[in-house]
Amino acid sequence: METSSDYGAFMERFLLPPTSSPPQPLLPLSSLTFAVKDIFDVKGYVTGFGNPDWLRTHPVATSTAPTVLTLLNAGATCLGKTVMDEMAYSINGENIHYGTPTNPCAADRVPGGSSSGSAVAVGAKLVDFSLEDGVIPMAQSFDTVGWFARDPKTFTSVGRVLLQLTEVAPVKPTRIIIAEDCFQLSSTPYDLITQVVIKAVEKLYGGDVLKKENLGDYVKDNVRSLNHFMTKENTDQVYNIPSLAALSSSMRLLQRFEFKSNHGEWISAVKPNLGPGISERVSEALRATGEDADICHAIRRELRDALTSLLGDFGVLMIPTVPGAPPKLQTDPSELEVFRARAFSLLSIAGVSGFCQVTIPLGMHNNLPISVSLLAKHGADGFLLHLVENLYDSIKQEKAAGMANPKS
């Protein structure tokens, strides 16, 4: 495994050149470099899935994942495989076997998972973009190929290649809905995240497109199957939104059942050495029965319908990406309970609905990174990519203006 020179991001480095020889300068990703999470097959290498026992018990890949080939065919060059959480079963990014990639913005904080190395490789400018989630299934109802990129233009170019999008004119959003209650889950001040985005939206599209919504109440009223998960525990906790906590519960239940279906036999046979936190979650997954799986699938359908009705074809939902600053490295799992509960409430919105989500970095606060996420309806990826690319330039201008006139 690679070490300090690359922030610990890489499992192994290699060079996969573009499939066209010589490289064609007019290809959409010419001259760009990328890395892939160790969940994608690359011919000639074992896909390690973040765990040495998985690496030991699986054969060398005889072909390269179609997603990786698509990028190579588009002119990009792959520089290697990146570290990930074991079996993709964490959001921290800490790996007891291969080391934890160093967060380039805050070295004493977790890089986030499960695609820790992919995120760090881009954040540390080791590659232009990187892939997360791939060939090996974790829980197929929620698995999807995602990517990180160093700037919006690269992000859009990669997205257009991966999604095979045709060129279309940008569309003005009909509404941009701020989920105000979701921002109460974040320890980062509300205005710090939202104001620069609001000003950028007003400048580009006018203030009439901005709306506010209590998303928790909307979900509670429109996703009736969630009642099954509206437990006293979910409704009593002061740090959560009951309906989103219930949504998170349904997501994790189905995730556990699908993880067991995919990997339970291998785990029982091999008895892999798993790190703290991962071991407990895997043990819990092995006890899953799938008893309420049908209800979980009903919730997915109802949530997608409800959010589609809320946003329409060209609406956007604004939420915090995470519930605050990244936790410190090696924080006791019991101390992370509130953070994880809030994080999964936010993650479950796109995770369960299948809506597309883009995270926009907004700089630093107290020397720690902050961001905001925008969601659009399932299948509206091209619309959201255009919107984010346009909006990011305006956000940068507003941030620059704010720094020049801090009292304005």
Side-chain angles (χ1 to χ4, degrees), residues 50-86:
N51 179 271
D53 288 316
W54 185 280
L55 186 76
R56 174 178 58 82
T57 57
H58 285 79
V60 170
T62 57
S63 62
T64 297
T67 300
V68 178
L69 286 175
T70 296
L71 298 170
L72 297 173
N73 291 340
T77 299
C78 181
L79 299 185
K81 284 194 173 191
T82 57
V83 176
M84 59 177 284
D85 280 304
E86 294 178 77

Side-chain angles (χ1 to χ4, degrees), residues 125-284:
K125 301 179 181 179
L126 305 175
V127 293
D128 296 310
F129 67 94
S130 61
L131 289 180
E132 57 159 341
D133 293 341
V135 171
I136 302 173
M138 191 274 184
Q140 54 268 28
S141 289
F142 310 105
D143 294 341
T144 185
V145 173
W147 64 101
F148 303 99
R150 58 178 167 80
D151 57 58
K153 186 176 185 298
T154 302
F155 189 81
T156 298
S157 297
V158 173
R160 294 183 63 79
V161 168
L162 290 177
L163 299 166
Q164 300 181 348
L165 298 174
T166 56
E167 187 66 49
V168 294
V171 177
K172 176 184 174 180
T174 53
R175 67 201 78 168
I176 296 179
I177 298 174
I178 303 169
E180 286 199 304
D181 54 333
C182 291
F183 283 93
Q184 301 308 310
L185 295 176
S186 175
S187 60
T188 305
Y190 172 80
D191 286 348
L192 192 68
I193 303 176
T194 60
Q195 283 308 302
V196 67
V197 182
I198 288 172
K199 289 180 179 178
V201 168
E202 289 173 338
K203 181 178 178 180
L204 281 176
Y205 307 115
D208 59 315
V209 302
L210 288 163
K211 315 291 180 186
K212 294 179 179 179
E213 182 71 57
N214 185 305
L215 187 66
D217 286 350
Y218 180 84
V219 168
K220 179 182 177 182
D221 292 341
N222 291 279
V223 185
R224 307 304 297 181
S225 294
L226 268 182
N227 289 334
H228 183 80
F229 292 95
M230 293 287 284
T231 64
K232 188 174 188 300
E233 179 184 4
N234 282 339
T235 55
D236 280 357
Q237 292 172 348
V238 297
Y239 55 80
N240 74 15
I241 299 169
S243 63
L244 297 189
L247 193 64
S248 169
S249 295
S250 73
M251 179 178 76
R252 286 181 290 150
L253 186 148
L254 185 56
Q255 182 186 60
R256 287 192 291 268
F257 176 64
E258 292 184 347
F259 180 90
K260 176 186 176 181
S261 299
N262 292 326
H263 305 301
E265 185 176 333
W266 177 82
I267 292 167
S268 297
V270 174
K271 296 179 174 54
N273 177 22
L274 300 170
I278 307 287
S279 178
E280 289 78 4
R281 281 190 285 280
V282 167
S283 294
E284 189 177 13

Side-chain angles (χ1 to χ4, degrees), residues 288-311:
T289 64
E291 180 181 351
D292 294 323
D294 288 346
I295 298 174
C296 295
H297 284 295
I299 288 170
R300 294 180 69 216
R301 293 190 295 271
E302 291 174 24
L303 181 67
R304 180 178 293 187
D305 289 345
L307 293 183
T308 299
S309 178
L310 177 67
L311 298 183

